[in-house]
Amino acid sequence: MRKQWILKLTSVSLVAVMAAAMGSQALAIDWHPSRTQSEVEVSESTTTTTTGSTITVTTPTGDQVQDSEAAVIQVTPVSVTLTANAAVEAANPGATAEQLAAVATESGLSYAANGQLNNLYNQVTNAESTEQLLETTAPAAAATFETTVGASASEYAPIALYDVAASASAEAVIAESGSVQVAISVPGVADGTQVVAICWDRNGNSRTVPVRVVNGVVYLTVYSSGPVMIMARTQVQG
């Protein structure tokens, strides 16, 4: 007898991930990659480090992050990085990714920085399971996921992808304090949603980072510039 299962996020406002199981067939997650293009927003425009330094937090303004002399962190959704690189490619037909790597784009990031997040988006689109996704894109994070989070990666699914880019001044401040908290809003996330982040640096090194949700605001500890994948815990209901 066929039994239909609905896989939903632990917060009722995040009902988005669907799955079906038939007999002994394994539960398969439909990633709904378009959901990861949701427009994450900055909830607090400044953040203060443990050493007392203040960093401005913003979404893309059109200015290049690395050109800023101020301490700035920019939060850029994958929808923006995809569009920015598409524009560069359209203006430079036939150019390779290596040739375009340093090109400044409309996102405020370089073509290469956009590309790092865009490549992750493609991996999410093609992934067949959370475990496979993490093993492929974030082996270091995958190795520590369960001990850090207290649950298997199979119980989580991606809900947002974005880039965190720090200006040179902000990077110096973060290096001095070790990390900084950045507050953002993620569509659908509410108090009670169990959330975790996988973070990469520009060299592709990954780590699993616990996330706090307070009054619907997602507080992420940032250690360096690079892509971030927010994942929410799922549960099976009959």
Side-chain angles (χ1 to χ4, degrees):
M1 179 178 180
R2 178 179 298 183
K3 186 173 183 180
Q4 186 78 17
W5 295 83
I6 298 178
L7 186 67
K8 62 169 63 177
L9 299 176
T10 51
S11 170
V12 294
S13 61
L14 279 174
V15 178
V17 183
M18 302 296 294
M22 295 176 287
S24 61
Q25 183 176 348
L27 195 66
I29 293 177
D30 182 354
W31 290 105
H32 293 289
S34 62
R35 290 187 307 113
T36 62
Q37 292 191 43
S38 297
E39 296 297 319
V40 296
E41 297 288 346
V42 171
S43 295
E44 297 177 6
S45 60
T46 61
T47 183
T48 303
T49 69
T50 55
T51 57
S53 298
T54 299
I55 300 175
T56 299
V57 184
T58 182
T59 49
T61 62
D63 297 328
Q64 298 300 302
V65 177
Q66 291 304 316
D67 291 342
S68 176
E69 296 182 358
V72 175
I73 289 176
Q74 178 177 294
V75 175
T76 310
V78 69
S79 58
V80 175
T81 60
L82 288 167
T83 300
N85 272 16
V88 171
E89 291 161 4
N92 297 274
T96 66
E98 290 74 16
Q99 292 170 329
L100 298 175
V103 173
T105 75
E106 296 175 354
S107 71
L109 307 174
S110 69
Y111 180 90
N114 289 335
Q116 188 180 14
L117 186 61
N118 296 349
N119 289 338
L120 175 60
Y121 172 77
N122 291 332
Q123 294 279 357
V124 171
T125 301
N126 295 321
E128 297 180 356
S129 69
T130 308
E131 294 98 325
Q132 182 264 327
L133 175 66
L134 295 186
E135 288 171 2
T136 301
T137 65
T144 62
F145 188 93
E146 190 160 352
T147 55
T148 301
V149 178
S152 168
S154 64
E155 297 182 33
Y156 282 78
I159 60 170
L161 294 172
Y162 60 94
D163 183 89
V164 172
S167 65
S169 296
E171 287 178 344
V173 170
I174 294 171
E176 181 182 2
S177 62
S179 64
V180 67
Q181 290 269 311
V182 172
I184 64 168
S185 62
V186 177
V189 171
D191 289 358
T193 307
Q194 297 181 46
V195 180
V196 66
I198 306 298
C199 302
W200 290 260
D201 63 20
R202 292 293 185 225
N203 294 319
N205 301 307
S206 64
R207 68 170 77 197
T208 301
V209 180
V211 173
R212 294 186 301 120
V213 179
V214 181
N215 296 325
V217 176
V218 174
Y219 288 88
L220 172 70
T221 301
V222 172
Y223 297 91
S224 63
S225 296
V228 176
M229 178 169 66
I230 298 292
M231 301 199 299
R233 193 169 187 177
T234 60
Q235 64 183 15
V236 176
Q237 293 187 352

